[in-house]
């Protein structure tokens, strides 16, 4: 393996690592928004009534269906 090949491998690896870290940073910055959207989808699928989802979790205990 020549030094040119080693230099190209190092440059390619650092470029891939930079791209990976950038993508991870983007996902982590959007994570709260993704979690809110997922909770909204779950509430809609379970017949939720809107933003007051804390009212339903009190006495039901997750056993709505009998």
């Amino acid at each position: 393996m020549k030094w040119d090949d080693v230099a190209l491998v190092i440059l390619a690896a650092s470029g891939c690592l930079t791209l990976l870290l950038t993508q991870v940073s983007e996902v982590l910055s959007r994570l709260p928004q993704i979690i809110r959207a997922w909770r909204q989808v779950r509430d809609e699928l379970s017949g939720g009534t809107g933003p007051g989802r804390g009212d339903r979790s009190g006495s039901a205990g997750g056993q709505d269906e009998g």
Side-chain angles (χ1 to χ4, degrees):
M1 189 178 252
K2 296 181 182 178
W3 285 108
D4 293 342
D5 295 336
V6 172
L8 287 175
V9 167
I10 290 172
L11 285 172
S14 65
C16 289
L17 183 62
T18 301
L19 181 64
L20 176 69
L21 290 176
T22 302
Q23 293 300 315
V24 168
S25 173
E26 286 290 321
V27 169
L28 288 178
S29 69
R30 295 179 187 199
L31 194 59
Q33 184 180 8
I34 292 170
I35 291 171
R36 278 194 294 281
W38 175 247
R39 286 180 180 166
Q40 184 179 2
V41 167
R42 278 193 341 198
D43 286 346
E44 291 295 326
L45 290 176
S46 67
T49 57
R53 63 180 181 264
D55 298 337
R56 295 183 312 153
S57 64
S59 62
Q63 299 176 356
D64 293 336
E65 298 178 26

